[in-house]
Amino acid sequence: SFLSKEHPHAIALVLIRLPFKLAAGVLEGLPDEVQADVAYRIVQTVRQLEEAGQITVRPPDSSDVFV
């Protein structure tokens, strides 16, 4: 995937804008050593945005995006 050469934080920022199922598929396609770092950064970014009141986290739906 073209994202695999990007920094894990940049990948996380892209994935939080995608529908959940698509983001999961992209994450799954990344090299194993990158997946955990990207997943961690997604969680951290979503938490920060939620704490800042910029998003509300809700149960996932295949058409939903994080933000």
Side-chain angles (χ1 to χ4, degrees), residues 35-57:
Q35 288 181 13
D37 192 7
V38 171
Y40 173 79
R41 289 169 188 272
I42 288 171
V43 170
Q44 291 302 100
T45 302
V46 169
R47 280 186 183 159
Q48 289 171 354
L49 291 170
E50 186 177 33
E51 288 172 3
Q54 295 181 0
I55 65 168
T56 301
V57 177

